[in-house]
mmCIF file of all heavy atoms in Angstrom:
data_model
loop_
_atom_site.group_PDB
_atom_site.id
_atom_site.type_symbol
_atom_site.label_atom_id
_atom_site.label_comp_id
_atom_site.label_asym_id
_atom_site.label_seq_id
_atom_site.Cartn_x
_atom_site.Cartn_y
_atom_site.Cartn_z
ATOM 1 N N GLY A 261 147.609 147.568 70.169
ATOM 2 C CA GLY A 261 148.494 148.193 69.382
ATOM 3 C C GLY A 261 148.950 147.226 68.290
ATOM 4 O O GLY A 261 148.361 146.133 68.097
ATOM 5 N N ASN A 262 149.951 147.589 67.548
ATOM 6 C CA ASN A 262 150.450 146.644 66.474
ATOM 7 C C ASN A 262 151.896 146.907 66.096
ATOM 8 O O ASN A 262 152.397 146.289 65.167
ATOM 9 C CB ASN A 262 149.647 146.825 65.194
ATOM 10 C CG ASN A 262 150.039 148.053 64.359
ATOM 11 O OD1 ASN A 262 150.060 149.101 64.888
ATOM 12 N ND2 ASN A 262 150.564 147.854 63.120
ATOM 13 N N SER A 263 152.610 147.757 66.911
ATOM 14 C CA SER A 263 153.945 148.047 66.445
ATOM 15 C C SER A 263 154.786 148.428 67.676
ATOM 16 O O SER A 263 154.301 148.567 68.792
ATOM 17 C CB SER A 263 153.934 149.216 65.519
ATOM 18 O OG SER A 263 153.906 150.471 66.141
ATOM 19 N N THR A 264 156.080 148.655 67.440
ATOM 20 C CA THR A 264 157.035 148.957 68.482
ATOM 21 C C THR A 264 156.686 150.295 69.172
ATOM 22 O O THR A 264 156.943 150.584 70.282
ATOM 23 C CB THR A 264 158.493 149.011 67.966
ATOM 24 O OG1 THR A 264 158.504 149.905 66.814
ATOM 25 C CG2 THR A 264 158.943 147.635 67.620
ATOM 26 N N GLY A 265 155.988 151.144 68.342
ATOM 27 C CA GLY A 265 155.498 152.399 68.906
ATOM 28 C C GLY A 265 154.504 152.222 70.064
ATOM 29 O O GLY A 265 154.247 153.219 70.782
ATOM 30 N N ASP A 266 153.905 151.045 70.100
ATOM 31 C CA ASP A 266 152.921 150.808 71.123
ATOM 32 C C ASP A 266 153.448 150.005 72.437
ATOM 33 O O ASP A 266 152.709 149.755 73.356
ATOM 34 C CB ASP A 266 151.810 149.958 70.578
ATOM 35 C CG ASP A 266 151.124 150.674 69.376
ATOM 36 O OD1 ASP A 266 150.814 151.857 69.500
ATOM 37 O OD2 ASP A 266 150.996 150.030 68.264
ATOM 38 N N ARG A 267 154.684 149.622 72.300
ATOM 39 C CA ARG A 267 155.257 148.820 73.298
ATOM 40 C C ARG A 267 155.186 149.276 74.735
ATOM 41 O O ARG A 267 154.704 148.676 75.582
ATOM 42 C CB ARG A 267 156.817 148.615 72.952
ATOM 43 C CG ARG A 267 157.528 147.507 73.788
ATOM 44 C CD ARG A 267 159.082 147.681 73.731
ATOM 45 N NE ARG A 267 159.568 147.412 72.401
ATOM 46 C CZ ARG A 267 160.102 146.247 71.984
ATOM 47 N NH1 ARG A 267 160.102 145.297 72.836
ATOM 48 N NH2 ARG A 267 160.584 146.160 70.753
ATOM 49 N N GLU A 268 155.648 150.523 74.970
ATOM 50 C CA GLU A 268 155.594 151.015 76.338
ATOM 51 C C GLU A 268 154.168 151.285 76.843
ATOM 52 O O GLU A 268 153.946 151.189 78.064
ATOM 53 C CB GLU A 268 156.389 152.452 76.372
ATOM 54 C CG GLU A 268 157.905 152.163 76.295
ATOM 55 C CD GLU A 268 158.440 152.170 74.912
ATOM 56 O OE1 GLU A 268 157.587 152.125 73.928
ATOM 57 O OE2 GLU A 268 159.637 152.175 74.736
ATOM 58 N N MET A 269 153.230 151.544 75.960
ATOM 59 C CA MET A 269 151.855 151.630 76.407
ATOM 60 C C MET A 269 151.373 150.296 76.965
ATOM 61 O O MET A 269 150.800 150.264 78.088
ATOM 62 C CB MET A 269 150.902 152.069 75.213
ATOM 63 C CG MET A 269 149.462 151.924 75.502
ATOM 64 S SD MET A 269 148.415 152.563 74.152
ATOM 65 C CE MET A 269 148.529 151.353 72.862
ATOM 66 N N LEU A 270 151.754 149.228 76.329
ATOM 67 C CA LEU A 270 151.375 147.920 76.790
ATOM 68 C C LEU A 270 152.128 147.492 78.107
ATOM 69 O O LEU A 270 151.555 146.965 79.031
ATOM 70 C CB LEU A 270 151.563 146.836 75.674
ATOM 71 C CG LEU A 270 150.797 146.932 74.483
ATOM 72 C CD1 LEU A 270 150.805 145.695 73.593
ATOM 73 C CD2 LEU A 270 149.307 147.252 74.749
ATOM 74 N N GLU A 271 153.370 147.887 78.103
ATOM 75 C CA GLU A 271 154.143 147.575 79.283
ATOM 76 C C GLU A 271 153.630 148.266 80.483
ATOM 77 O O GLU A 271 153.536 147.784 81.631
ATOM 78 C CB GLU A 271 155.655 147.985 79.054
ATOM 79 C CG GLU A 271 156.408 147.125 78.044
ATOM 80 C CD GLU A 271 157.815 147.668 77.862
ATOM 81 O OE1 GLU A 271 158.166 148.758 78.195
ATOM 82 O OE2 GLU A 271 158.586 146.860 77.240
ATOM 83 N N TRP A 272 153.273 149.564 80.226
ATOM 84 C CA TRP A 272 152.797 150.404 81.338
ATOM 85 C C TRP A 272 151.415 149.965 81.877
ATOM 86 O O TRP A 272 151.257 149.794 83.080
ATOM 87 C CB TRP A 272 152.633 151.870 80.880
ATOM 88 C CG TRP A 272 152.171 152.789 81.876
ATOM 89 C CD1 TRP A 272 152.804 153.103 83.137
ATOM 90 C CD2 TRP A 272 151.008 153.666 81.748
ATOM 91 N NE1 TRP A 272 152.062 154.078 83.700
ATOM 92 C CE2 TRP A 272 151.007 154.468 82.998
ATOM 93 C CE3 TRP A 272 150.116 153.888 80.741
ATOM 94 C CZ2 TRP A 272 149.953 155.454 83.176
ATOM 95 C CZ3 TRP A 272 149.112 154.820 81.027
ATOM 96 C CH2 TRP A 272 148.986 155.595 82.213
ATOM 97 N N ILE A 273 150.520 149.590 80.995
ATOM 98 C CA ILE A 273 149.206 149.144 81.509
ATOM 99 C C ILE A 273 149.362 147.760 82.094
ATOM 100 O O ILE A 273 148.734 147.351 83.124
ATOM 101 C CB ILE A 273 148.013 149.169 80.488
ATOM 102 C CG1 ILE A 273 148.084 147.905 79.587
ATOM 103 C CG2 ILE A 273 147.985 150.483 79.687
ATOM 104 C CD1 ILE A 273 146.622 147.570 79.127
ATOM 105 N N GLY A 274 150.276 146.955 81.598
ATOM 106 C CA GLY A 274 150.506 145.585 82.091
ATOM 107 C C GLY A 274 151.076 145.633 83.602
ATOM 108 O O GLY A 274 150.950 144.680 84.270
ATOM 109 N N ALA A 275 151.695 146.751 83.985
ATOM 110 C CA ALA A 275 152.272 146.855 85.295
ATOM 111 C C ALA A 275 151.289 147.218 86.340
ATOM 112 O O ALA A 275 151.513 147.269 87.553
ATOM 113 C CB ALA A 275 153.403 147.866 85.341
#
Side-chain angles (χ1 to χ4, degrees):
Chain A
N262 80 302
S263 81
T264 52
D266 303 311
R267 189 197 295 264
E268 287 86 353
M269 170 172 72
L270 298 191
E271 289 177 345
W272 180 58
I273 83 147

